Amino acid sequence: MVLLHIAALLLLAGLSRGADFPFKDPTLPWEKRLDDLVGRLTLEEMVLQMSRGGSKTNGPAPPIERLGIGPYNWDTECLHGDAFAPGWATAFPQSLGLAASFSPELIHHVANATATEVRAKHNHFVSLGFYGDHSGLSCFSPVLNIMRHPLWGRNQETYGEDPFLTSQLAVAFVTGLQGDHPRYVKASAGCKHFDVHGGPENIPESRLQFNAKVAEHDWRMTFLPQFEACVRAGTFSFMCSYNRINGIPACANKKLLTDILRKEWGFNGYVVSDEGAVELIMVAHLYTRSFLETAIVSVNAGCNLELSYGMRKNVFTHIPEAVAKGNITLEMIKDRVRPLFLTRMRLGEFDPPAMNPYSALGLQDIQTEAHRRLALDAAIQSFVLLKNIHGTLPLKAKEIFGKKLAVVGPFADNPTILFGDYAPAPEPQYISTPRRGLATISAHVNFAAGCAFPKCDYYSLAEVKSAVEGADIVVVCLGTGVDLEMEANDRKDLALPGHQLQLLQDAVALADGRPVILLLFNACPLDISWAKSHDGVGAILACSFPAQATGLAIAKVLVGAEGASLAGRLPATWPAGMHQVPPIENYTMAGRTYRYYGDEAPLYPFGYGLSLTTFHYSDLVMGMDVVPVCGNLSVSVVVENVGARDSDEVVQLYLRWGNASVPVPRWQLVGFRRVAVPAGGAVKVPFQLSYQQRAVWSGQWLVEPGSFTLFAGGQQPFQETRAPSNILQADFTVAGSARGTSQC
């Protein structure tokens, strides 16, 4: 129906007759329009388009006035809302918190709302003739790096430690951001940081010159799958990372950017460098000796667009000399420019605005009531209940209003530290801190920070004592924040910062048996072993960085409000101590993430999280017991809510290889579904296990015969720290001879 409407518009308006050039004729196929546009460009014009990635004075890409082409800025951040662009925007929970929801549907909605606000602002900026930083429609999001190390400063930007979970959430983000219009893209996605990028940032050495030494097996089975999923989802761009991979800088790595990305996966979009990454090929990695040589290796490797450190005479401006000397062909430059203009075409830049429904979006579509509700729902779904003893939660809403609450800690009422990195700026009236949120459920809320900042260098016991004494319930708000973990800033250890543990212990002692609830605001795992084991802490809630709706979301989950079920699950393992933390520079996967963790139990495992009800699993059914080597397997399991409260549950399916010919994970997440299960009700949850999910890397993707086991439940199998629900398992056999997946 939409396509018919577009065709009718074209016929009625006679649009093709009004186009000055064929590339502006919307009746022509994209490829013919691109042929026309690129064929009209001079080498100097193409070079400037490739050289102006958009950061500071490096952007925007300049206009080509003789062709009626305007400026365009490529530098836009959309990780959990429209970040850094002038003006207000809705702030959704940080990525790692969104991952804890285990809900692709939620992430799809968040990405789509983000794109709406990005597009709305862009339309406004264009109307003003503003093309500065963060004014464009091409997002440097999502971040698909694996959270392989607990101290990496950028863990908060990821979707956790599992390639399959990250892949599913990547697809949801890309498709949500780009929209579902058959012709136009709402905002274009850019998957980063490609590749083998997961620390260090600054401890013990700088990310800007780091060489990630990775075995081909680990590269293929851990660091690449989610990026391939991003290609399948239809992303328009990739960002190559700062680091070297086995000695070759990512932005000069032909194996990565051409052989794998384009030839193997079929990607036809563009690759943009991380900011300054092309310059760093020479300056930090010492891989080249001049900007000319750097331009040659980067362009020939597969980089289309240079995002530089605000330079005007940056590396790619040396391309004409390389062409003149025969080091880069003119056809190569045309190939590199082509996807830049395809992206702009698909965003609607060269079509009449009346054809593009996204052109109607404006400032009235930012921070709408629907977006604010979504931010609240996303925060609720992101919370992970780590502990709940003595029936601490839920609090009884009718009784709590007349009771005295104490809310203490550096995160209790500081709105600036609840968002995480790359965060939008919402209007202050829409920001709710824990203190403000708790004031909606109790008329008596005492507050004390105890320490003014997360570092907690200076601690006031007197402040905490004045708030806690006389309180019926104590809520302690601790964590890290961007002062302690973010881009360019790794954590040094797992400990609660500064005097935070002392603050917690004092609050528990002062509470003297009254309920204490610990709220944690962090991405990198924390050593909270004291709180986990001490009976004085009745409940622990991992909140990540919930952003603008923090306080309202906390209030709703603490009283178990309707529709506010606690069903988040950890998207990464929390180690039991620094003795379980390997060197961050070592990129082997042995001993890292739940897939290869080792024999000693972590503090909290991947996929863990408690509920305010109880679930029971039954009827794990497989479509067949013997599966052809290239066959898929249908699986279903029934989850029943045997408790008294309606709740969501995250059903998890894991695969274990019995006799693989190469090293494999001890087990691997192969399916998950977040489902609503009413009290006393049951839901049958289907899964489809594809043959590709059984594949192992042995010089190629290989499917092998042998024995396999499936585990189904609300958590990983065989965990020391576990939810009370049961786990089912079933065996099946794969028959036939081993073969490459390309032969299936």
Side-chain angles (χ1 to χ4, degrees):
M1 203 62 189
V2 175
L3 289 171
L4 289 173
H5 179 65
I6 291 172
L9 281 173
L10 293 172
L11 290 171
L12 289 171
L15 293 172
S16 63
R17 294 192 297 274
D20 348 12
F21 301 102
F23 74 83
K24 291 188 176 181
D25 182 353
T27 66
L28 294 177
W30 300 118
E31 291 304 314
K32 286 192 175 181
R33 296 175 71 180
L34 284 168
D35 288 343
D36 178 69
L37 192 161
V38 174
R40 294 176 184 275
L41 299 177
T42 66
L43 174 61
E44 290 71 21
E45 287 168 339
M46 289 188 285
V47 168
L48 280 176
Q49 295 300 312
M50 293 175 63
S51 302
R52 299 290 178 250
S55 178
K56 307 176 185 68
T57 56
N58 180 239
I64 306 173
E65 294 179 359
R66 67 184 183 87
L67 300 178
I69 296 173
Y72 186 76
N73 200 300
W74 296 97
D75 181 16
T76 298
E77 300 286 357
C78 315
L79 193 62
H80 53 123
D82 184 14
F84 306 150
W88 308 118
T90 307
F92 300 99
Q94 179 59 291
S95 297
L96 192 64
L98 291 173
S101 72
F102 275 68
S103 174
E105 295 79 11
L106 174 67
I107 287 179
H108 185 276
H109 292 316
V110 166
N112 194 258
T114 296
T116 294
E117 299 199 358
V118 168
R119 173 68 76 157
K121 283 190 177 184
H122 172 77
N123 292 343
H124 177 65
F125 294 145
V126 170
S127 73
L128 300 176
F130 175 73
Y131 296 94
D133 266 11
H134 315 300
S135 64
L137 294 169
S138 298
C139 296
F140 296 159
S141 312
V143 172
L144 302 185
N145 302 113
I146 293 299
M147 185 177 166
R148 64 171 195 100
H149 198 278
L151 303 182
W152 183 36
R154 303 190 77 169
N155 282 330
Q156 61 181 282
E157 300 175 43
T158 76
Y159 291 139
E161 70 181 32
D162 181 71
F164 178 74
L165 174 64
T166 300
S167 295
Q168 298 302 300
L169 301 186
V171 171
F173 186 97
V174 170
T175 56
L177 189 79
Q178 296 187 168
D180 58 3
H181 195 276
R183 181 178 180 87
Y184 297 113
V185 172
K186 189 184 284 190
S188 62
C191 298
K192 66 181 188 182
H193 308 83
F194 195 54
D195 189 33
V196 198
H197 185 74
E201 291 293 299
N202 64 324
I203 301 173
E205 61 181 284
S206 170
R207 60 182 175 153
L208 304 181
Q209 59 192 40
F210 179 69
N211 182 26
K213 299 176 183 177
V214 62
E216 184 79 14
H217 176 269
D218 285 336
W219 195 4
R220 292 287 183 164
M221 293 197 69
T222 297
F223 297 107
L224 285 173
Q226 57 278 11
F227 286 102
E228 183 178 6
C230 193
V231 174
R232 294 198 307 271
T235 187
F236 278 76
S237 76
F238 272 67
M239 176 180 280
C240 52
S241 52
Y242 285 123
N243 55 286
R244 279 171 285 157
I245 303 170
N246 296 331
I248 303 174
C251 293
N253 198 311
K254 183 177 179 293
K255 176 178 179 179
L256 179 71
L257 302 183
T258 294
D259 298 343
I260 294 174
L261 179 60
R262 290 185 168 94
K263 292 181 179 179
E264 191 175 318
W265 297 347
F267 177 67
N268 59 7
Y270 66 92
V271 174
V272 59
S273 72
D274 205 338
E275 185 175 0
V278 171
E279 287 96 333
L280 291 167
I281 292 171
M282 182 188 82
V283 176
H285 294 295
L286 307 180
Y287 187 75
T288 54
R289 292 169 294 180
S290 68
F291 273 9
L292 172 62
E293 185 185 354
T294 305
I296 293 167
V297 298
S298 182
V299 171
N300 284 331
C303 191
N304 304 72
L305 180 64
E306 182 187 359
L307 179 69
S308 87
Y309 283 128
M311 298 175 67
R312 300 297 289 178
K313 188 63 177 174
N314 50 304
V315 170
F316 276 17
T317 61
H318 295 264
I319 289 173
E321 185 181 353
V323 173
K325 292 182 175 180
N327 300 118
I328 303 176
T329 67
L330 185 59
E331 286 306 307
M332 174 71 76
I333 299 305
K334 291 180 178 180
D335 287 345
R336 295 290 180 256
V337 165
R338 195 176 182 92
L340 300 179
F341 282 106
L342 175 62
T343 303
R344 292 170 68 171
M345 283 184 181
R346 293 296 308 278
L347 289 166
E349 181 177 341
F350 304 121
D351 285 2
M355 289 182 61
N356 185 351
Y358 301 135
S359 297
L361 293 172
L363 297 184
Q364 72 279 0
D365 298 298
I366 297 170
Q367 295 190 117
T368 61
E369 183 180 350
H371 288 183
R372 300 196 306 272
R373 284 199 306 267
L374 179 59
L376 174 59
D377 184 46
I380 289 169
Q381 291 197 47
S382 73
F383 294 156
V384 182
L385 184 61
L386 299 179
K387 178 181 180 180
N388 190 29
I389 60 173
H390 311 314
T392 300
L393 296 180
L395 304 173
K396 294 179 174 60
K398 292 182 179 179
E399 298 177 10
I400 195 69
F401 193 77
K403 291 188 175 182
K404 294 180 180 179
L405 268 64
V407 54
V408 300
F411 286 82
D413 198 36
N414 185 343
T416 66
I417 59 177
L418 300 170
F419 291 79
D421 207 2
Y422 288 93
E427 285 186 71
Q429 65 174 316
Y430 300 134
I431 301 174
S432 174
T433 64
R435 178 189 185 182
R436 295 173 196 173
L438 293 173
T440 66
I441 61 173
S442 174
H444 309 284
V445 177
N446 297 328
F447 159 72
C451 34
F453 304 103
K455 288 184 180 180
C456 209
D457 295 329
Y458 303 99
Y459 165 56
S460 172
L461 172 59
E463 280 186 23
V464 173
K465 185 176 182 180
S466 66
V468 172
E469 285 186 337
D472 299 299
I473 299 167
V474 179
V475 179
V476 182
C477 304
L478 307 177
T480 54
V482 294
D483 287 347
L484 296 167
E485 54 166 314
M486 64 174 291
E487 182 174 4
N489 189 14
D490 295 316
R491 291 221 62 205
K492 295 178 181 179
D493 55 41
L494 299 169
L496 282 165
H499 295 284
Q500 286 193 29
L501 178 57
Q502 186 64 53
L503 189 158
L504 174 63
Q505 292 172 335
D506 289 341
V508 169
L510 291 164
D512 195 24
R514 288 163 289 169
V516 174
I517 300 166
L518 173 60
L519 306 180
L520 295 171
F521 300 89
N522 62 294
C524 291
L526 292 168
D527 182 356
I528 54 165
S529 51
W530 184 88
K532 178 185 179 183
S533 62
H534 199 286
D535 279 353
V537 180
I540 304 174
L541 192 64
C543 303
S544 186
F545 300 117
Q548 69 181 58
T550 296
L552 293 177
I554 287 168
K556 285 182 175 293
V557 300
L558 292 188
V559 299
E562 184 178 354
S565 62
L566 281 166
R569 302 294 179 254
L570 289 180
T573 304
W574 285 31
M578 284 298 293
H579 64 286
Q580 291 186 353
V581 177
I584 195 170
E585 321 93 281
N586 189 335
Y587 264 75
T588 178
M589 288 307 298
R592 293 155 175 81
T593 77
Y594 81 92
R595 299 161 70 228
Y596 303 97
Y597 202 72
D599 296 329
E600 189 178 355
L603 187 68
Y604 293 109
F606 170 91
Y608 171 77
L610 301 172
S611 303
L612 296 180
T613 188
T614 306
F615 295 101
H616 183 266
Y617 285 83
S618 63
D619 301 320
L620 175 57
V621 176
M622 299 183 298
M624 60 187 89
D625 295 325
V626 180
V627 183
V629 73
C630 289
N632 300 328
L633 178 64
S634 60
V635 182
S636 66
V637 68
V638 174
V639 56
E640 182 182 3
N641 185 342
V642 295
R645 303 180 64 85
D646 298 346
S647 180
D648 289 358
E649 166 70 325
V650 174
V651 183
Q652 302 169 43
L653 184 70
Y654 293 88
L655 173 72
R656 182 173 67 188
W657 288 260
N659 48 357
S661 64
V662 296
V664 292
R666 57 179 181 170
W667 47 77
Q668 167 69 55
L669 182 72
V670 291
F672 63 92
R673 290 276 301 279
R674 182 170 179 142
V675 294
V677 191
V683 175
K684 183 179 180 179
V685 181
F687 295 100
Q688 186 78 2
L689 180 68
S690 69
Y691 68 86
Q692 293 97 331
Q693 290 177 285
R694 290 186 277 105
V696 297
W697 182 260
S698 181
Q700 63 173 322
W701 284 109
L702 199 66
V703 281
E704 299 180 320
S707 60
F708 295 82
T709 303
L710 288 173
F711 302 94
Q715 58 197 322
Q716 280 188 71
F718 313 121
Q719 297 303 303
E720 188 174 292
T721 299
R722 60 190 310 276
S725 59
N726 61 318
I727 299 171
L728 304 176
Q729 72 178 75
D731 299 325
F732 67 94
T733 301
V734 172
S737 58
R739 66 185 67 180
T741 55
S742 61
Q743 297 175 293
C744 288

